[in-house]
């Protein structure tokens, strides 16, 4: 059965994906009617004080920009000047259940494309200057007012030696003032500048767009770390004559290395396995809380049947064909596990009764128990 997708204000998800996604910007007034920010200023300050949270402050004074990285002291943040600075906290969805739940509204785009929720708190005049992102972004106004100015893609130079990537020239084609619940969508490459009018909170929902260089670099690193199967030939040059030019690269050495490199052809299965693991690799610094106390096999099966399971907000879970990918690992799916794991990936959990205490589900329970012990999934809270 197709999922029912809530519209974005008066724009249906189908219309948005057909007309605007990766095509052009869209201002959506009242995208989230009666929106109440689940994370306020004090919550954000508390997150920015954590060692495991990526945060930074961007400020400007007399046209001179500065950048400072967290963690920050909460009281010091509250005492800062009331103009021209912004606190940005990355990956809030990894640390806050309500933030993670908000991202579910954007699951009309596959999870493999979703990056994170960044929240910015700005005082009057605060912003990060005119800049360009290389990914799609929804800019949801959570509290207060922010003025957005945008310009279409084009060749643009950056301000030299600036601590942040500022455009040297920026001429806006459109300008809007956004209030709580309003949202602006921008495809990659659109220049934009947001300025706070008084105190404000803006939620930025960003999407992953891996570059070819990034993917190939990760692929080569992965292959370099992979264990060697079978024989691993090593260059040899027995019987060669003494070298008259020791500084020159020997033709035989060059030819052998070139043959190894040019003759390497990874198979489709090898590539697909890497892609799944690459797209589900957790962000740097992510760690999982393992369950405390020992749960017997019988107790685990009974609780799964009675309470169901939720996927941890930090877990990246996806599937392709008969393979599941979870937090950078791949798992072959068999008949007894495939349907449930695919459902868990689509729904971010399994309801009570989806897994039963029967021999038929023993293979599935064993797999789920492994993920449970790693802290990747949890029992659903009893209602």
């Amino acid at each position: 059965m197709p999922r029912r997708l809530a519209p974005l204000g008066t724009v249906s998800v189908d219309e948005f994906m057909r007309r605007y996604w990766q095509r052009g910007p869209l201002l959506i007034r009242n995208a989230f009617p009666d929106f109440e920010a689940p994370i306020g200023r004090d919550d954000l300050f508390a997150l920015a004080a954590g060692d495991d949270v990526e945060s930074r402050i961007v400020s400007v004074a007399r046209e001179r920009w500065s950048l400072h990285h967290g963690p920050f002291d909460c009281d010091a943040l509250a005492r800062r000047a009331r103009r021209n600075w912004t606190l940005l906290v990355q990956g809030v969805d990894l640390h806050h259940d309500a933030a993670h739940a908000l991202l579910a509204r954007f699951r009309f785009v596959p999870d493999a494309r979703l990056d994170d929720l960044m929240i910015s708190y700005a005082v009057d005049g605060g912003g990060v200057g005119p800049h360009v992102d290389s990914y799609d972004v929804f800019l949801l106004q959570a509290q207060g007012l922010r003025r957005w100015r945008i310009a279409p893609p084009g060749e643009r130079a950056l301000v030299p030696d600036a601590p942040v990537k500022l455009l040297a020239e920026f001429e806006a084609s459109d300008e809007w003032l956004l209030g709580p619940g309003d949202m602006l969508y921008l495809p990659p490459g659109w220049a934009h500048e947001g300025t706070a009018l008084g105190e404000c909170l803006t939620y930025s929902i960003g999407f992953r767009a891996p570059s070819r260089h990034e993917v190939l670099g990760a692929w080569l690193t992965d292959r370099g770390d992979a264990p060697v199967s079978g024989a691993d030939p090593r260059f040899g040059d027995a019987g060669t004559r003494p070298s008259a030019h020791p500084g020159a690269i020997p033709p035989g050495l060059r030819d052998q290395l070139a043959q190894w490199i040019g003759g390497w052809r990874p198979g489709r299965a090898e590539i697909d396995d890497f892609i799944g693991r690459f797209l589900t690799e957790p962000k740097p610094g992510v760690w999982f809380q393992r369950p405390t106390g020992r749960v017997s096999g019988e107790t685990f099966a009974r609780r799964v049947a009675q309470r169901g399971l939720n996927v941890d907000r930090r877990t990246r879970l996806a599937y392709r064909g008969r393979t599941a990918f979870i937090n950078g690992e791949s798992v072959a799916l068999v008949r007894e596990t495939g349907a449930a794991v695919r459902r868990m990936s689509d729904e971010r959990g399994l309801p009570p009764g989806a897994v039963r205490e029967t021999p038929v589900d023993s293979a599935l329970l064993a797999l789920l128990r492994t993920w449970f012990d790693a802290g990747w999934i949890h029992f659903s809270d009893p209602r």
Side-chain angles (χ1 to χ4, degrees):
M1 179 181 297
R3 293 188 302 133
R4 296 186 62 183
L5 301 172
L8 304 172
T10 59
V11 181
S12 73
V13 169
D14 286 340
E15 180 185 2
F16 171 78
M17 295 298 289
R18 184 176 65 255
R19 297 183 56 187
Y20 299 101
W21 178 254
Q22 296 245 306
R23 295 178 184 272
L26 177 64
L27 173 65
I28 309 172
R29 293 293 185 190
N30 208 25
F32 287 72
D34 303 318
F35 182 73
E36 294 185 8
I39 300 101
R41 188 198 78 159
D42 293 343
D43 300 316
L44 201 66
F45 284 6
L47 282 173
D51 293 329
D52 59 339
V53 178
E54 181 183 351
S55 60
R56 61 193 188 278
I57 288 177
V58 177
S59 58
V60 60
R62 299 184 181 87
E63 299 185 356
R64 293 178 62 89
W65 293 84
S66 61
L67 171 67
H68 300 281
H69 292 277
F72 301 103
D73 179 80
C74 293
D75 294 335
L77 288 173
R79 292 193 302 267
R80 284 184 66 94
R82 308 313 299 167
R83 284 188 57 82
N84 301 336
W85 64 272
T86 298
L87 168 69
L88 303 106
V89 180
Q90 207 78 37
V92 178
D93 54 294
L94 300 175
H95 307 279
H96 200 287
D97 285 335
H100 179 74
L102 177 63
L103 291 186
R105 289 291 304 274
F106 298 88
R107 293 190 77 212
F108 49 83
V109 179
D111 292 344
R113 287 278 273 117
L114 185 61
D115 189 18
D116 72 350
L117 171 65
M118 182 187 75
I119 298 182
S120 65
Y121 164 79
V123 296
D124 189 52
V128 298
H131 63 284
V132 173
D133 293 326
S134 58
Y135 49 83
D136 303 87
V137 63
F138 290 93
L139 301 163
L140 171 62
Q141 194 62 24
Q143 289 181 359
L145 302 174
R146 187 184 287 270
R147 182 180 66 245
W148 285 103
R149 303 168 66 225
I150 70 170
E155 294 292 332
R156 294 184 174 91
L158 298 178
V159 175
D161 302 323
V164 291
K165 293 183 177 180
L166 295 171
L167 298 179
E169 296 182 5
F170 176 70
E171 183 175 350
S173 60
D174 296 276
E175 178 178 325
W176 303 284
L177 185 65
L178 273 65
D182 293 339
M183 186 166 68
L184 175 63
Y185 163 73
L186 294 174
W190 279 76
H192 50 289
E193 178 187 41
T195 305
L197 278 66
E199 285 186 297
C200 81
L201 280 170
T202 304
Y203 291 9
S204 300
I205 297 91
F207 291 80
R208 301 179 71 189
S211 68
R212 181 174 61 176
H213 179 81
E214 177 186 354
V215 173
L216 291 180
W219 163 257
L220 293 174
T221 299
D222 183 80
R223 293 299 85 197
D225 293 338
V228 176
S229 58
D232 182 22
R234 188 174 295 276
F235 176 77
D237 54 1
T240 57
R241 298 178 61 84
S243 176
H245 302 285
I249 295 177
L253 176 58
R254 180 268 169 202
D255 292 345
Q256 180 64 79
L257 301 188
Q259 180 183 344
W260 286 342
I261 295 171
W264 180 50
R265 295 290 186 271
R268 179 63 180 269
E270 188 180 10
I271 292 174
D272 284 348
D273 182 73
F274 164 77
I275 289 173
R277 291 185 291 106
F278 171 78
L279 291 175
T280 58
E281 183 69 29
K283 284 194 168 186
V286 168
W287 57 277
F288 294 89
Q289 182 69 48
R290 295 178 180 270
T292 57
R294 179 67 182 170
V295 178
S296 69
E298 292 182 359
T299 300
F300 177 78
R302 184 174 64 254
R303 290 182 182 175
V304 170
Q306 294 174 349
R307 295 170 54 179
L309 293 164
N310 285 334
V311 177
D312 187 272
R313 62 175 179 264
R314 290 155 291 204
T315 287
R316 286 181 169 173
L317 174 61
Y319 62 87
R320 187 175 189 276
R322 297 181 178 180
T323 306
F325 304 95
I326 182 167
N327 294 329
E329 298 184 5
S330 59
V331 178
L333 299 177
V334 296
R335 181 173 57 84
E336 295 82 5
T337 62
V341 171
R342 285 188 286 268
R343 181 180 182 182
M344 174 178 279
S345 182
D346 286 336
E347 300 178 9
R348 297 292 294 181
L350 290 172
V355 184
R356 297 160 296 171
E357 298 178 76
T358 65
V360 175
D361 282 343
S362 59
L364 176 60
L365 283 167
L367 177 62
L368 295 176
R369 179 59 186 267
T370 300
W371 293 354
F372 175 84
D373 289 342
W376 296 350
I377 59 176
H378 312 288
F379 297 128
S380 299
D381 292 331
R383 297 182 183 278

